[in-house]
């Protein structure tokens, strides 16, 4: 028997944490439907306020690792929350080091946290089946932060980064190993959001000297550069990326203020995103995004 790919969702998208105003972080876990377009609802809380964390997901739980909060500094903890129960998150382990503004990837069995601030290249890995601490299993090609991530059936991907990095890297889930460079985005940028279909990775929005709405797409089956395939409904950076089996979602973000927008674009054809709802509160600075 072949285990099905567990990364995309069919029921709901989740957005957790984020910065909702000057020096004001959120602890909310919000949920919105994939079945019908609509607004998010507040369904639970993280263990603490946090922004700039990494997200991972198993078949039953969403995870948030690391992050930052004003007055509290950077975090090392790994939190998880149940999709079905709608209960508050619990602390289940620690990353190998404290950090924020990193990327999160998910295989069927493990979560990964890559890079982060202060700029470094470490790839951590932790188990979904047993709560516990992460281990250092590899390195990215360079130190970087404010990056985003994508996940295929076999590899984790890292794209973009601060200040205006265009590199796309990947590492294998089959064995603990370093990442390799496999291509470039169409535009170097920091704080894009990442989505993943079964065949392609997407990197949406982000910041250069200004903000962009570009949706880039690159192939999982063949290493190479991304192509510009559409636009978000507005230019913004530091949003959460969420993935259903049919659509990529971008929630929150920042451009001349904190955004509450939820927009989506289809995987079936290259096209622009459309506004389909609002979060319960505006939030940016990389809130985490997962799906069930």
């Amino acid at each position: 028997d072949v285990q099905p790919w567990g990364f995309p969702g069919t029921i709901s998208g989740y957005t957790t944490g984020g910065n909702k105003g000057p020096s004001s972080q959120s602890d909310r876990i919000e949920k919105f439907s994939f079945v019908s377009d609509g607004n998010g609802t507040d369904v639970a809380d993280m263990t603490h306020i946090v922004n700039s964390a990494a997200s991972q997901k198993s078949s039953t739980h969403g995870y948030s690792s690391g992050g930052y909060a004003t007055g509290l500094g950077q975090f090392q903890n790994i939190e998880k929350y149940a999709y079905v129960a709608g209960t508050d998150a619990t602390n289940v382990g620690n990353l190998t080091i404290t950090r924020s503004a990193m990327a999160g990837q998910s295989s069927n069995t493990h979560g990964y946290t890559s890079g982060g601030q202060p700029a470094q290249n470490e790839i951590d890995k932790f188990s979904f089946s047993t709560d516990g601490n992460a281990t250092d299993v590899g390195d990215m090609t360079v130190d970087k932060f404010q990056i985003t991530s994508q996940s295929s059936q076999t590899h984790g991907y890292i794209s973009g980064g601060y200040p205006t990095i265009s590199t796309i890297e990947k590492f294998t889930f089959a064995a603990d190993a370093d990442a390799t460079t496999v291509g470039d985005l169409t535009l170097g940028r920091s704080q894009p959001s990442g989505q993943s279909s079964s065949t392609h990775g997407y990197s949406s929005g982000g910041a250069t000297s200004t903000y962009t709405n570009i949706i880039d797409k690159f192939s999982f089956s063949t290493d190479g550069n991304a192509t510009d395939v559409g636009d978000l409904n507005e230019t913004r950076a530091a949003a959460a990326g969420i993935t259903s089996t049919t659509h990529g979602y971008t929630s929150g973000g920042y451009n001349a203020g904190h955004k509450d927008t939820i927009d989506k674009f289809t995987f079936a054809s290259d096209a622009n995103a459309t506004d389909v709802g609002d979060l319960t509160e505006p939030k940016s600075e990389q809130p985490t995004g997962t799906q069930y």
Side-chain angles (χ1 to χ4, degrees), residues 1-56:
D1 292 335
V2 178
Q3 187 176 15
W5 188 39
F7 186 76
T10 58
I11 299 173
S12 300
Y14 291 79
T15 303
T16 68
N19 194 342
K20 58 185 180 180
S23 301
S24 175
Q25 287 82 39
S26 175
D27 64 356
R28 287 186 186 178
I29 301 172
E30 296 196 37
K31 170 182 174 182
F32 61 88
S33 175
F34 287 153
V35 179
S36 59
D37 296 338
N39 297 331
T41 57
D42 182 357
V43 295
D45 293 323
M46 307 296 290
T47 63
H48 52 68
I49 58 173
V50 64
N51 64 28
S52 300
S55 61
Q56 299 84 11

Side-chain angles (χ1 to χ4, degrees), residues 14 16 29 46 60-63 79-83 87-89 290:
Y14 291 79
T16 68
I29 301 172
M46 307 296 290
T60 57
H61 290 79
Y63 291 78
E79 300 184 43
K80 79 173 182 180
Y81 54 92
Y83 289 133
T87 53
D88 292 344
T290 65

Side-chain angles (χ1 to χ4, degrees), residues 170-210:
K170 76 174 183 182
F171 59 90
T172 181
F173 294 144
D176 298 338
D178 294 338
T180 58
T181 299
V182 295
D184 288 296
L185 300 175
T186 61
L187 177 70
R189 56 199 190 265
S190 63
Q191 295 183 310
S193 58
Q195 300 87 4
S196 306
S197 75
S198 60
T199 59
H200 290 81
Y202 295 79
S203 189
S204 312
T208 55
S209 56
T210 183

Side-chain angles (χ1 to χ4, degrees), residues 7 17-18 49 61 85 108 121-123 133 167 176 195 197 256-257 266 277:
F7 186 76
I49 58 173
H61 290 79
N108 280 339
N121 65 359
E122 189 168 303
I123 301 172
N133 296 333
T167 306
D176 298 338
Q195 300 87 4
S197 75
T266 181

